[in-house]
Amino acid sequence: MLAKVPVDRWIAHAEVSRVDVERAVDLICAAEAMTVRVELGIQQGRHSTLNSYLEKLLYLITGHFGRRGTNNLHSWLLPLWGATTGMRSEITGFEYIGGLLPANTLAEEVLADHPNRVRAVWVESSNPANTFAGTRDVERALRAAELSVVVDVAYTETAALADYVLPAASQHEKWEFTLFTFEWPTNYFQLRRPLLDPLPGTLVEAEIYARLFDALGVLPPSGILGELAAGPRAELQAGLGALVQAMPERAAILPVLLYRTLGASLPGGAASIAPLWAGCHRAAKTMTVPVQRALGSSATGAQLGEELFERILAGPTPFSVHEQDEVWSLLRRERVRLAVPELLDWLAALDPAAERPDPAYPLSLLNGQRRAHNANQILRDPRWRRTDPDGALRARPEELAAIGASPGDWVAVVTPAGRVVVRAEADPALRPGQLALPHGYGMAHPDAHGRRVVSGPRINLLTDALDRDPIAGTPHHKDVPARLEPATEQERARAEADSARVRETVGSGRPTGL
């Protein structure tokens, strides 16, 4: 199948030289070890799922997997996602991959004329009204939902549309940890203790959920939970099992049950990290020897699980130490299946001639560029970002000149989905025909006088949720068909006034919160 790929036609389409391609091939073939790392550029570009398949073939076929210095797997303490069962959405037909549907289908799931449409939207520490493709449709969906709830520390664009906003404590006011434990062969875990007391009236998320499930009537009586909390930890698993047997739907809220039982005995208000106890026992059971190595322990079974939990409570610690050959034990099957028919068919159907731009939208917009000064939607206060407060569009000088614009002018970026007016900045390092807008802007925040002002472009006004990968639903954010137009006089005046308010806010002092 790979031999049938028209390599020279694709090299020409990519506008690189055959010499450079051959040199890359020679380097890979000669390398004793190679690691392939990918990011959003190809993950949110055209053919996203196929790209993910091909980049894995790149290191698998060339033998750069499972050896020192090559791509490896890693162990989990708590998995980030579940299993894929083949279940599909009744609305869009998309598969639940890892137990999840694509974010890009949210609006369709809510707005569909279907008896099993989504009727409630629950958002925690996320801002789909700004960060999901197709902002206008997402806003309509949030308004149309029978119930919408936001749990957050900030009054986000999504919170402004919700029926309820629940008062979460910030990340500096509670116990937290990262789930991104992707290290090999030694994998570390670190609990972060709170630095400050929670603000009055705020709650950690665990308490919010515990109160809700209590009100729903699925939590056992407080007396029963209290007895388990006061009893020996060795009897906790059997006690929780009995509660689930009495009401099977409680299996879905085991973290809440652990919070209300084990959590009560944890020091320093660490109740919300009680679910880690189950993860430690799972790790001790499924990878006993790597956990023993990490702890320098000879314990087994429940004793090893308890020892790992206590070590994690005490401070940063490795939770698994593997030997190189053990990477194969982390595979679900004995061998890696290289040939995936659906993706090979997709590869065979590709045609460089079909990749030409639409004449009505001849430019390619990299929508959500990572720059030195931007992060994500956490940085709501524009005073945190003194560089590029306007979130400027970057374009080659000749692209700006083609519409009679100069660096510093206000220009309009137009896509099939919408139109956004932005400050222009010249960047000759871009490829011809490419534009770039940064992510992390477009949020409303109080200005220097207490009125809300939007800081920078809301880039998902330019995206269409239907412009996405056919398998995973991933948005094509890094290749949005676009064109440039001069801004109208009215658009320039409005943009300049908002920019002046943002700049006044940036110059008015230190950031004052979220």
Side-chain angles (χ1 to χ4, degrees), residues 205-461:
E205 288 86 348
E207 181 63 23
I208 289 174
Y209 289 116
R211 293 187 187 189
L212 286 168
F213 283 117
D214 195 16
L216 287 168
V218 294
L219 286 189
S222 58
I224 294 177
L225 292 174
E227 289 178 11
L228 282 176
R233 199 178 289 179
E235 298 177 6
L236 183 57
Q237 185 173 351
L240 293 177
L243 294 178
V244 172
Q245 188 174 11
M247 185 183 287
E249 54 265 41
R250 287 174 179 159
I253 59 166
L254 276 173
V256 178
L257 297 177
L258 282 167
Y259 171 71
R260 281 289 175 90
T261 53
L262 174 64
S265 67
L266 296 181
S272 59
I273 57 93
L276 281 178
W277 178 80
C280 289
H281 280 272
R282 174 184 170 276
K285 180 179 180 180
T286 59
M287 49 181 185
T288 301
V289 174
V291 172
Q292 288 174 330
R293 288 194 200 109
L295 303 183
S297 172
S298 59
T300 59
Q303 183 181 350
L304 182 62
E306 290 294 335
E307 191 172 332
L308 176 58
F309 184 62
E310 292 299 329
R311 186 75 67 86
I312 284 175
L313 280 175
T317 184
F319 67 87
S320 66
V321 176
H322 289 268
E323 294 181 352
Q324 185 60 53
D325 286 347
E326 289 175 346
V327 68
W328 299 97
S329 69
L330 300 177
L331 290 170
R332 293 183 179 178
R333 303 175 182 87
E334 290 186 3
R335 298 190 181 191
V336 178
R337 179 183 174 185
L338 296 179
V340 180
E342 299 90 338
L343 295 172
L344 290 175
D345 290 344
W346 186 351
L347 177 64
L350 289 184
D351 180 3
E355 303 289 318
R356 293 172 181 160
D358 180 349
Y361 302 96
L363 304 177
S364 173
L365 172 64
L366 197 165
N367 207 34
Q369 184 183 42
R370 183 173 296 164
R371 298 178 180 173
H373 58 269
N374 68 324
N376 50 38
Q377 299 266 314
I378 292 174
L379 299 182
R380 294 193 64 85
D381 190 333
R383 284 171 290 191
W384 284 108
R385 186 191 291 111
R386 294 177 183 271
T387 302
D388 188 19
D390 295 317
L393 171 82
R394 290 181 179 172
R396 290 181 65 86
E398 60 266 30
E399 308 289 3
L400 296 176
I403 63 165
S406 300
D409 290 348
W410 294 102
V411 299
V413 181
V414 183
T415 71
R419 178 185 179 97
V420 170
V421 175
V422 291
R423 181 88 70 181
E425 179 181 305
D427 185 357
L430 290 172
R431 289 165 57 95
Q434 188 177 52
L435 311 172
L437 282 171
H439 66 80
Y441 287 79
M443 295 172 287
H445 193 275
D447 65 12
H449 306 285
R451 298 169 297 164
R452 298 186 78 81
V453 61
V454 174
S455 173
R458 295 187 74 187
I459 60 175
N460 279 308
L461 292 171

